[in-house]
Amino acid sequence: MSLFATFASATKFMKPNFEKALQSLPSVSFMITDGFLGWTLDSANKFGIPRLSYYGISTFSMSMSRSSSGLLRTELSNDEPFPVPDFPWIKLTRNDFDSPFREREPKGLFFEFAAEQIIANSKSYALLINNFYELESIYVNHFNSKYSPRVVCVGPFCAAIEPQKAQSESLEKPSYIKWLDRMLEQGKSVLYVAFGTQAQIAFEQYKEITIGLEKSEVSFLWVVRRNLAEVNDGFENRVKKRGLVVTEWVDQREILSHRSVRGFLSHCGWNSVIESICAKVPILAWPMMAEQHLNARMVVEEIKIALRVETCDGSVRGFVKWEGLEKPIRELMEGEKGKEARKKVKEIGEAAINAVKEGGSSWQALNELILELTATRQV
C-alpha cells in the first residue's frame, strides 16, 4: 500500500491510449471511471463526455471526513471523542481517520495525490456509490445539499447478480464450500474470518487471533495470507474438527451466502460490508486502514448490524489481545447482542435486495441518470 499513490499516479501515462480508444468508439454518452483516476476528467472534457466518478466507499464516510476536517486541524488528542459538527449525535476520534488525513498538518505524496482526485471528482458530473439510498438517506441528503457533484446511490451491485454458485452448478464445489456443507449437515454455525487483501497484520497480532479463535470454541473459516505455521505451530491441527484455514483465493459472496455462515469477522472494507448486508450476515468489526474505522462506526453505532472487537487500551487502533476477540466472537455467534444484530441485518438486507429490483430506489436512480445523460447528449 505504500506504493499506491505512485502506482495510481503512473496510470496517467495511459492517457494517450485511453483517448485513442475513446475516439475509436461510437458516440459515447458518458463515462464511468474510478475516483482515483482523476486524470480521466481531462479526457472526458476534451471530447465533451460527462464523467461519472465511481467511489467504492459510503456517503457516510465521505460526510464524516468532510464535516470533521476542521476539527482534525486542532489540538484534539488521538482518542478524544468529539461530536461531528453536522451530525452532533455521532462522536468520532482523530484515530477514526487514516493518515495523513488525521494529522494536524497533513502532507506528503499520498495527501497531494488525494487532493488532486478530490478536485477532479468535484468537477465531475456525479459520484456513483455502491449503496442504496434508504441505508444512508440522511448522509446523501446532507452531502448533496453542501457539496458538488451530487451522490447517486446505484447499488448494492452484489444484490443485482446471483452468487457464483447459481451460475456454475455443473462445476465441482471448492473444498471450502464442501467443508461448509459438512458443518451445515452437523448443525454447526460458522464464523467467517477475513481481513481483505491490503491490511498488514503483525506477527504478534496474528498469534492473538489464533488464540482467540481457539478459545472461543466456535466453528470458523479463516482466509489468511500468512503461513500459520509461523504463528502458532499446531493451531490448525488442534482446531481441525471445527476450524478451516484457507490460504487460496475464495469467492467471498458464495461463503457469506452459505446457510452455515452466521457471522463475519471483518476489516469493514466497504465491499465486505455491503456483501455481508446482502447475505444478511452480522459483522464483528475490526477496522484496520483507510475509511474502515468510519465504516465500523456506521455498522456498529448507526445501523446496528455489528459488534466490535475490544482493544486492550480502549483506542480504536489499539492492539487486540485474544480476550478482546474471544468475548465478542461468542456474543456475536451465541449472545443476545448477536441476535439483535442478526435480526437487524435481515431487515436491512431485504431493503438492499429490493433497492436493485425493478422499481427500487437504486433501479430508479440509475435509470433516471441514464435518461438524463442521454437527453443531455442529444441536445
Side-chain angles (χ1 to χ4, degrees), residues 15 61 67 92 125 146 202 213 293 296 303-304 308 323 353 367:
K15 190 174 178 182
S61 63
S67 294
L92 301 175
Y125 191 87
K146 291 194 69 171
L213 287 172
H293 289 82
I303 61 177
K304 304 184 188 303
R308 190 158 184 161
E323 297 94 334
I353 292 166
N367 276 276

Side-chain angles (χ1 to χ4, degrees), residues 208-234:
E208 294 296 325
I209 296 171
T210 62
I211 299 170
L213 287 172
E214 185 172 356
K215 288 186 176 291
S216 72
E217 298 183 346
V218 305
S219 299
F220 64 89
L221 191 163
W222 184 11
V223 179
V224 298
R225 294 161 56 199
R226 181 190 289 269
N227 181 358
L228 280 177
E230 304 171 11
V231 181
N232 194 343
D233 188 35

Side-chain angles (χ1 to χ4, degrees), residues 131-134 152-157 160 351-371:
N131 202 358
F132 58 108
Y133 177 75
E134 292 85 348
V152 182
C153 294
V154 292
F157 300 142
I353 292 166
N354 289 333
V356 297
K357 288 181 178 178
E358 185 170 349
S361 60
S362 293
W363 186 92
Q364 289 182 338
L366 184 56
N367 276 276
E368 288 170 4
L369 183 61
I370 292 172
L371 289 171

Side-chain angles (χ1 to χ4, degrees), residues 6 60 63 65 83 86 88 114 152 158 164 172 182 195 208 242 281 287 343 356 366:
T6 304
F60 175 87
S63 297
S65 297
D86 296 308
V152 182
C158 61
Q164 183 75 23
E172 184 170 348
R182 291 195 293 273
F195 302 112
E208 294 296 325
R242 62 176 177 84
V281 174
K343 179 181 177 182
V356 297
L366 184 56

